[in-house]
Amino acid sequence: MAQSQGWVRRYAKAFCKGFFVAVPVAVTFLDRVACVARVEGASMQPSLNPGGSQSSDVVLLNHWKVRNFEVQRGDIVSLVSPKNPEQKIIKRVIALEGDIVKTMGHKNRYVKVPRGHIWVEGDHHGHSFDSNSFGPLSPQCGTAQLLCPKDLDGIFVLVGLEMITAAI
Amino acid sequence: MLRGVLGKTFRLVGYTIQYGCIAHCAFEYVGGVVMCSGPSMEPTIQNSDIVFAENLSRHFYGIQRGDIVIAKSPSDPKSNICKRVIGLEGDKILTSSPSDFFKSHNYVPTGHVWLEGDNLQNSTDSRYYGPIPYGLIRGRIFFKIWPLSDFGFLRDSPNGHRFSDD
């Protein structure tokens, strides 16, 4: 009787120990270093989701790269949507603070990006809910930078380990 | 001798990583202790007060009018601001000062909040930079722990007239 009780206690102890090591480390890794996400929508065609609704790209979000909120023009980033805080949007950074942007469909023709903000646009102009709709954005609304897309069926298709640079 | 030292070092590093991750999870998902500086929330929160902030309301979208929140500053990504939520999305905010004859209103857009400091004369807040997206909010302050003379839950806004949305 005492033998089986001792076994259960030891098992519970080991489980708790492992749980309190594995869960915080995994959560911290996914929050701070990198995690995986699926891209939905057509606003970044042809860079992401070129196949439309048939296949969704799966991408690696690199949190570590943007831990100081330093993004470059041409980076593809993932942000919290300013219209709906429960949703994340994936767009390309077009302009940084201080730049003057010629907008497409915004109420002002030319916009100067204020301090601490960035201007993002989807690659598929006209089908994208981006800064042309909501104006310049604060990058600290949860950013992560896309690193490399891989195919849905698990084969890693590395489109170069470099950032997908914009042809500005 | 060397093996002993190496083993001890690895164990130390392992424990540091483990406790660092636990601390990250606690600060990110539960809450933490914050020191506030600046005069913009007087008299509710004075300069160098230490308060307790919780992050659960943010994750469950339970921030309400009248809550004091910590948010990332919209103009400087590395600093935080501490203000009170005056209006949520859809609310009508009175932007003209009470002494103006012609009153002007602003509607808070979807997904945004309107923040104001309690010290209206000395606060850079949404009256200056407009409503901020909900995603910038980091946590809700609900308890003050220092100075001990002011220990306890935080008071309501002294500017009660700002909450009228007719």
Side-chain angles (χ1 to χ4, degrees):
Chain A
M1 196 61 185
Q3 188 74 290
S4 64
Q5 266 185 350
W7 171 81
V8 167
R9 275 185 82 164
R10 269 184 288 132
Y11 181 79
K13 249 179 145 173
F15 180 82
C16 283
K17 254 177 119 174
F19 184 82
F20 282 109
V21 169
V23 168
V25 171
V27 168
T28 308
F29 185 85
L30 293 176
D31 276 350
R32 295 269 178 174
V33 180
C35 71
V36 174
R38 188 203 299 256
V39 178
E40 278 165 23
S43 64
M44 284 297 290
Q45 286 177 348
S47 319
L48 296 174
N49 275 1
S53 47
Q54 281 93 5
S55 63
S56 294
D57 283 352
V58 175
V59 294
L60 187 71
L61 296 174
N62 187 353
H63 295 287
W64 188 255
K65 201 81 184 285
V66 294
R67 64 191 184 280
N68 290 324
F69 302 107
E70 283 160 17
V71 288
Q72 309 295 328
R73 292 177 199 85
D75 287 352
I76 304 182
V77 292
S78 138
L79 309 149
V80 171
S81 164
K83 283 283 183 258
N84 180 5
E86 299 178 25
Q87 206 180 42
K88 296 218 170 64
I89 56 176
I90 295 184
K91 299 283 175 268
R92 193 185 291 272
V93 175
I94 300 292
L96 303 175
E97 62 187 11
D99 294 347
I100 299 184
V101 181
K102 181 169 176 196
T103 67
M104 290 186 278
H106 193 62
K107 51 182 187 277
N108 300 328
R109 196 77 194 282
Y110 291 95
V111 170
K112 179 164 179 187
V113 182
R115 193 165 75 92
H117 286 66
I118 55 175
W119 186 272
V120 295
E121 280 181 14
D123 285 350
H124 196 179
H125 298 302
H127 285 81
S128 167
F129 176 64
D130 51 26
S131 284
N132 287 316
S133 314
F134 49 72
L137 196 55
S138 288
Q140 51 271 38
C141 267
T143 21
Q145 184 197 55
L146 260 63
L147 190 55
C148 55
K150 38 188 191 158
D151 262 359
L152 238 196
D153 54 358
I155 303 174
F156 283 54
V157 175
L158 295 175
V159 185
L161 267 182
E162 307 95 38
M163 298 176 298
I164 304 171
T165 48
I168 295 182
Chain B
M1 166 77 171
L2 187 64
R3 277 185 79 181
V5 170
L6 219 56
K8 275 207 172 116
T9 315
F10 276 131
R11 234 195 328 263
L12 185 68
V13 169
Y15 278 131
T16 311
I17 293 179
Q18 180 189 352
Y19 288 125
C21 293
I22 293 181
H24 164 85
C25 288
F27 285 129
E28 183 76 22
Y29 294 106
V30 180
V33 179
V34 179
M35 183 167 106
C36 304
S37 59
S40 61
M41 280 299 291
E42 286 175 3
T44 319
I45 299 180
Q46 319 275 350
N47 194 12
S48 10
D49 276 357
I50 300 182
V51 295
F52 199 79
E54 54 96 357
N55 296 337
L56 298 167
S57 308
R58 161 172 79 103
H59 286 291
F60 293 118
Y61 303 104
I63 301 279
Q64 288 160 354
R65 275 178 220 97
D67 284 347
I68 304 180
V69 295
I70 297 185
K72 285 222 142 65
S73 163
S75 48
D76 177 17
K78 301 206 180 120
S79 65
N80 297 322
I81 58 174
C82 165
K83 304 275 180 255
R84 198 183 286 270
V85 173
I86 301 293
L88 301 172
E89 61 186 14
D91 288 350
K92 187 161 80 168
I93 303 288
L94 187 74
T95 49
S96 57
S97 56
S99 55
D100 282 353
F101 186 71
F102 292 106
K103 308 224 174 284
S104 64
H105 290 106
N106 250 341
Y107 283 95
V108 181
T110 46
H112 288 61
V113 294
W114 186 275
L115 301 181
E116 280 180 13
D118 283 351
N119 189 358
L120 287 174
Q121 278 88 10
N122 199 356
S123 164
T124 333
D125 47 34
S126 286
R127 292 170 297 161
Y128 174 70
Y129 44 67
I132 68 162
Y134 187 95
L136 287 182
I137 295 181
R138 293 288 113 197
R140 182 177 76 102
I141 297 179
F142 68 105
F143 200 84
K144 194 193 288 199
I145 56 182
W146 189 268
L148 290 172
S149 54
D150 218 1
F151 189 88
F153 290 101
L154 291 168
R155 289 182 288 268
D156 281 341
S157 170
N159 309 315
H161 66 271
R162 306 290 299 165
F163 287 94
S164 61
D165 39 355
D166 33 35

